[in-house]
Amino acid sequence: MRRYLWAQGTVSEPLEAGTVLAQRYQVIEFPLLLDALPADPPLPLETVPPLADPYLALSPFAITIPRPFTQIVLPQTGDTLLLLEAIPIQPADDPASQIPSLLPSMPAVWSRASALQQITWLWQIARLWQPLVDNQVADTLLDWENVRVDGEDIRLLCLQITESSPTLADLGHHWQPLVKAAARPWQDFLRHLVESLIAGNGTSAGLVNALTKALETIAAPQELAVQLATYSDRGPTRKRNEDACYPKHGTVGRVSLKAATVKTTPAPFVIVCDGIGGHQGGNVASQIAIDEVSQQLQALGTGPDLIHDDLVFLLEKAILAANQAISSRNDAAQRQERARMGTTIVVAFVYGARLYIAHLGDSRAYRVRSHNCRQI
């Protein structure tokens, strides 16, 4: 296991490669560091470093924004460095090199990207805009060195804390050079969108909605293929399996559909539940959740066209319904405190060209790529 970290902070001069900080963090190419003890937690801090505050406030965007790992003080100069993990890096192009490289910046790959990729990247930036403005770090999105691309994901290198208050007009000016190299299916749309931003029209919510509609329009004729497989095991110590999944254990399948046919083709989805309660009924709770949520999602998948916010609400509603069903079963059996059964849940639901992940509890979803495996 290798944990690479990015050092954020002001230093009097860049640190030389090979320098070891706090007897643990080796400088690879400053500010890139390698943790020599990746299995050990960092030393606890007495207080949260002020530089870490916006990272913690923006933790719901963990797919995009790196996480604060620890803070160290350089003894020679007293300089303070915040070390970040989950940074946007990839293996070096040279197989013999152990030094990873940064993922490409968005402009570096923009002209080679499809319309669907381009819209997806800008949609993610639009969703980040207002939360970053609220935390005084929106200048981060106006520096392409900070905005990296990992497949269809936007990954930020670090957050830039400034006292300035950039506007949507500033964002429009920043996006303007992208128009010329935009994919033709949506080039005119992007031009009008950028001109509207520069003119001071609209809101951040309106920008997100406009890009969501563009995403759906471009995705409508696309052929989609969803592959799924489910497997569940009781593990080495339990006498019975308290987990449950949908489709049932052992299913392997492939669903081909067009984004535009979501009303006539059932939306594919998978569910994993890890029951809690031991002999008290963790297996019952997990199956109740599977039954309740799968029933509601099957109805969703062949329903009318749903906008993003409505679908998020209905996914939440399905999980709350499962929670209520389990709670009612506990009440009927007069189960108290730790005797009450429960379950975790993770749902992956495909609706048109969009994949939704919903979860409660400590079951996990991961995104696996050729160069990384990330818990999302």
Side-chain angles (χ1 to χ4, degrees), residues 129-130 167-169 171 192-210:
W129 180 256
Q130 193 58 51
T167 66
L168 285 173
L171 185 64
H192 292 310
L193 182 66
V194 166
E195 289 173 352
S196 178
L197 291 176
I198 292 173
N201 300 326
T203 63
S204 57
L207 176 61
V208 172
N209 289 336

Side-chain angles (χ1 to χ4, degrees), residues 67-86:
R67 296 188 299 267
F69 183 72
T70 191
Q71 177 178 267
I72 59 174
V73 178
L74 305 182
Q76 299 88 345
T77 62
D79 294 329
T80 300
L81 296 176
L82 179 68
L83 304 189
L84 306 173
E85 63 175 341

Side-chain angles (χ1 to χ4, degrees), residues 82-367:
L82 179 68
L83 304 189
L84 306 173
E85 63 175 341
I87 55 177
I89 57 174
Q90 60 186 346
D93 296 332
D94 179 5
S97 174
Q98 295 293 318
I99 302 175
S101 59
L102 291 175
L103 288 163
S105 66
M106 199 182 84
V109 295
W110 176 264
S111 61
R112 304 193 302 272
S114 67
L116 197 58
Q117 287 175 307
Q118 291 177 351
I119 299 171
T120 300
W121 294 336
L122 294 189
W123 177 80
Q124 291 173 71
I125 292 174
R127 288 185 68 234
L128 286 166
W129 180 256
Q130 193 58 51
L132 265 64
V133 166
D134 294 341
N135 286 277
Q136 296 183 300
V137 290
D139 279 328
T140 303
L141 300 175
L142 302 181
D143 179 357
W144 287 129
E145 283 300 306
N146 266 323
V147 181
R148 303 283 164 166
V149 171
D150 186 5
E152 72 275 15
D153 291 339
I154 289 293
R155 303 275 304 278
L156 299 183
L157 183 57
C158 61
L159 297 176
Q160 293 184 356
I161 302 174
T162 62
E163 295 182 359
S164 64
S165 299
T167 66
L168 285 173
D170 296 320
L171 185 64
H173 283 292
H174 190 59
W175 284 2
Q176 196 168 32
L178 301 175
V179 174
K180 187 176 181 180
R184 291 209 172 273
W186 86 299
Q187 190 177 57
D188 288 341
F189 175 90
L190 180 58
R191 178 179 293 107
H192 292 310
L193 182 66
V194 166
E195 289 173 352
S196 178
L197 291 176
I198 292 173
N201 300 326
T203 63
S204 57
L207 176 61
V208 172
N209 289 336
L211 288 168
T212 301
K213 291 177 181 177
L215 190 61
E216 292 169 346
T217 300
I218 293 295
Q222 304 258 350
E223 294 281 352
L224 303 176
V226 179
Q227 299 179 70
L228 58 90
T230 58
Y231 182 86
S232 181
D233 188 88
R234 66 180 175 85
T237 58
R238 299 294 179 118
K239 293 182 178 180
R240 67 180 179 192
N241 192 353
E242 296 194 350
D243 306 341
C245 56
Y246 179 93
K248 66 180 181 179
H249 161 82
T251 298
V252 177
R254 177 186 173 93
V255 181
S256 297
L257 68 158
K258 282 189 175 181
T261 63
V262 70
K263 288 186 289 186
T264 57
T265 305
F269 61 90
V270 292
I271 310 173
V272 175
C273 288
D274 181 2
I276 341 171
H279 68 280
Q280 298 290 344
N283 60 318
V284 176
S286 60
Q287 193 57 54
I288 291 173
I290 291 287
D291 294 342
E292 185 70 38
V293 174
S294 64
Q295 182 179 359
Q296 298 213 21
L297 294 189
Q298 284 168 343
L300 264 185
T302 54
D305 290 333
L306 295 170
I307 64 172
H308 172 74
D309 290 343
D310 288 347
L311 194 50
V312 169
F313 170 77
L314 291 170
L315 280 167
E316 182 178 356
K317 182 180 177 183
I319 293 177
L320 290 174
N323 184 69
Q324 185 57 48
I326 295 170
S327 182
S328 297
R329 181 73 72 90
N330 279 322
D331 293 343
Q334 297 184 329
R335 296 175 182 267
Q336 301 294 325
E337 298 179 354
R338 294 180 65 85
R340 293 174 74 85
M341 61 184 176
T343 184
T344 68
I345 187 168
V346 178
V347 180
F349 182 75
V350 177
Y351 190 83
R354 308 195 297 267
L355 169 66
Y356 290 85
I357 304 289
H359 108 287
L360 278 176
D362 62 358
S363 288
R364 303 177 183 180
Y366 289 88
R367 174 168 286 152

Side-chain angles (χ1 to χ4, degrees), residues 30-84:
F30 192 79
L32 181 65
L33 311 178
L34 176 65
D35 185 358
L37 301 172
D40 295 348
L43 293 176
L45 302 176
E46 293 184 3
T47 59
V48 175
L51 200 57
D53 285 340
Y55 291 95
L56 300 180
L58 294 164
S59 60
F61 299 96
I63 294 177
T64 305
I65 298 174
R67 296 188 299 267
F69 183 72
T70 191
Q71 177 178 267
I72 59 174
V73 178
L74 305 182
Q76 299 88 345
T77 62
D79 294 329
T80 300
L81 296 176
L82 179 68
L83 304 189
L84 306 173

